[in-house]
Amino acid sequence: YKRQMQMDDDTNKRGTFTFTGEDHTLGNLLRSTIIKNKKTEFCAYSVPHPSENIMNVRVQANDGTAIEITKKALERISKVCDVISEKFTAELAKYKNNLMQDV
């Protein structure tokens, strides 16, 4: 996957991040995570066209930089995915164990 970023000013408070190979799944999750950050003034995402494999995220910070806010959101999403994966794996093991005991 390819990522690009375009900052709008020298302070890096506003920018657009382009993710190739992503769609509404990451776009909506990233937008909702970014908007919860108190340093965020504005955040939106768009998928320009369904046939294009591109998703854009627009971020504007009222404190800090758009890069910091986006990076923090991506790290938070990664941690949440790790927890979900661990819990799913543990529950799947329990389920398989119960199936083996029933046989």
Side-chain angles (χ1 to χ4, degrees):
Y1 296 101
K2 186 177 173 185
R3 295 166 303 249
Q4 294 177 334
M5 93 183 135
Q6 178 181 345
M7 304 313 291
D8 292 347
D9 59 12
D10 292 337
T11 64
N12 292 330
K13 288 193 176 289
R14 297 186 313 261
T16 301
F17 301 85
T18 301
F19 296 83
T20 303
E22 296 296 344
D23 58 14
H24 292 283
T25 304
L26 179 63
N28 193 38
L29 180 60
L30 188 54
R31 183 205 56 80
S32 66
T33 304
I34 288 173
I35 208 72
K36 290 176 186 174
N37 187 327
K38 293 178 182 173
K39 294 181 178 183
T40 303
E41 186 172 327
F42 172 82
C43 182
Y45 84 96
S46 65
V47 175
H49 191 274
S51 67
E52 291 183 64
N53 204 16
I54 293 173
M55 185 267 300
N56 298 311
V57 178
R58 176 88 177 140
V59 180
Q60 186 168 332
N62 57 28
D63 185 22
T65 68
I67 297 168
E68 292 168 347
I69 290 171
T70 305
K71 183 178 178 183
K72 186 173 181 178
L74 289 167
E75 288 169 352
R76 181 164 173 75
I77 291 167
S78 180
K79 287 178 184 177
V80 168
C81 288
D82 289 345
V83 169
I84 291 170
S85 179
E86 289 170 12
K87 288 185 178 192
F88 177 80
T89 301
E91 290 300 316
L92 181 61
K94 285 181 192 177
Y95 175 77
K96 287 181 178 180
N97 190 28
N98 286 340
L99 282 180
M100 296 302 284
Q101 289 178 356
D102 290 344
V103 174

